[in-house]
Amino acid sequence: RKIIAHSFEMNCGKGLKESFFCFLVKTLLILSSMCGIMIAERRYERMKIGIFTDSHYSSHQVTEGARLNSQSLGKIKKAYEYFRNESCDLVVSLGDLIDTESTVDKEIENLKQIAEVIKASAIPTVCIMGNHDAFTLTPDQYYSVLGLEQPKSLHLNGVNLVFLDACYFKSGIHYAPGDSDWEDTFYPFAEELRAELGKYSEPTYIFLHQSIDPDISEDHRLFNSAEMFDIIAESGVVKT
């Protein structure tokens, strides 16, 4: 599949490396409206972060006309091999690890297979929920199956990494199993984010599944994306 890459600035001596999916990086935010893997490397205190997104793993051969879902587990394994060879310090999944199956049990089994790959890699990994993940499991169930903690902000090698869960309806209610809508997505803790960023002086990077890209249609981005952009700009610490 054609690779679409935009430079990712994280005080990096290097930008993007090989990809097995398509992906898009806009401003500071790592947006997963497309699929990909990426390596980011800092100039000073060396740190590498491997990123992959939207694997949509399922038993289906093809969905949405172009998603080769059943191949995704193998692609994730190859990604982790690449991350390991690149000596990544951290891996971030931006969500939609799994896709719809005939039963929830099958979807959980698929997630367990991904969890085994993550565990075998021995690379610290942060997984953000995507709307497909939230359609099957609650956050507690999702992270229990993965054997991971729910993401919290990290301070590593002189930078702050902030992970956001925007799997919420405009009403402020979190998606629930059987009830999610990727065209109705909202981050209800914008003021809390503003307060958190106000405490930081170091370079800060924000990761989430949903897009806040102002250049795409409204139904494909966060309902409060403009507010999020304002908060990011006002902080003065979020790298763009």
Side-chain angles (χ1 to χ4, degrees):
R1 300 174 66 176
K2 183 177 179 180
I3 296 170
I4 300 175
H6 293 265
S7 178
F8 173 54
E9 184 68 26
M10 185 175 165
N11 291 332
C12 298
K14 298 180 181 179
L16 302 178
K17 298 221 177 166
E18 298 173 16
S19 297
F20 68 88
F21 289 117
C22 296
F23 72 91
L24 174 64
V25 178
K26 281 287 187 179
T27 69
L28 136 86
L29 293 153
I30 316 291
L31 305 176
S32 60
S33 53
M34 304 184 78
C35 306
I37 65 172
M38 178 175 67
I39 302 293
E41 182 178 348
R42 298 187 65 239
R43 278 197 201 106
Y44 307 114
E45 298 176 58
R46 180 180 170 125
M47 179 173 69
K48 284 187 176 182
I49 299 177
I51 297 172
F52 74 99
T53 186
D54 289 71
S55 51
H56 288 274
Y57 176 48
S58 76
S59 61
H60 301 293
Q61 296 297 314
V62 181
T63 62
E64 302 296 327
R67 290 178 184 163
L68 306 179
N69 304 64
S70 62
Q71 298 182 23
S72 291
L73 185 63
K75 303 273 188 179
I76 294 171
K77 291 178 180 178
K78 290 181 180 179
Y80 269 95
E81 290 174 6
Y82 183 73
F83 297 149
R84 184 169 53 253
N85 291 338
E86 288 292 325
S87 301
C88 286
D89 302 292
L90 179 72
V91 171
V92 178
S93 165
L94 295 175
D96 280 359
L97 284 173
I98 56 175
D99 212 319
T100 305
E101 290 279 9
S102 56
T103 67
V104 171
D105 286 344
K106 178 57 179 173
E107 293 174 41
I108 292 174
E109 178 57 34
N110 292 343
L111 189 60
K112 287 180 178 178
Q113 292 180 55
I114 295 173
E116 290 172 1
V117 175
I118 294 172
K119 182 177 180 180
S121 76
I123 305 174
T125 296
V126 173
C127 291
I128 297 171
M129 285 193 85
N131 53 288
H132 280 79
D133 308 315
F135 188 78
T136 300
L137 300 168
T138 66
D140 286 345
Q141 292 170 330
Y142 181 71
Y143 291 105
S144 176
V145 173
L146 285 172
L148 299 173
E149 293 184 1
Q150 296 191 32
K152 299 177 181 178
S153 297
L154 299 175
H155 182 80
L156 297 173
N157 292 31
V159 300
N160 302 302
L161 308 178
V162 179
F163 307 98
L164 305 181
D165 176 3
C167 290
Y168 287 82
F169 296 106
K170 289 189 289 288
S171 64
I173 297 174
H174 197 278
Y175 294 169
D179 187 18
S180 69
D181 182 355
W182 65 274
E183 294 182 321
D184 182 356
T185 181
F186 178 71
Y187 186 68
F189 307 110
E191 289 306 313
E192 287 86 344
L193 176 63
R194 189 194 305 273
E196 179 180 1
L197 296 179
K199 298 176 183 178
Y200 296 150
S201 58
E202 307 89 351
T204 301
Y205 302 87
I206 300 176
F207 303 80
L208 77 163
H209 177 73
Q210 291 80 4
S211 177
I212 67 167
D213 183 356
D215 295 329
I216 65 174
S217 62
E218 292 184 3
D219 60 348
H220 281 65
R221 65 177 189 259
L222 279 183
F223 178 73
N224 57 333
S225 59
E227 179 185 21
M228 297 289 282
F229 260 116
D230 288 343
I231 290 172
I232 288 168
E234 292 169 4
S235 75
V237 296
V238 175
K239 306 302 289 185
T240 60

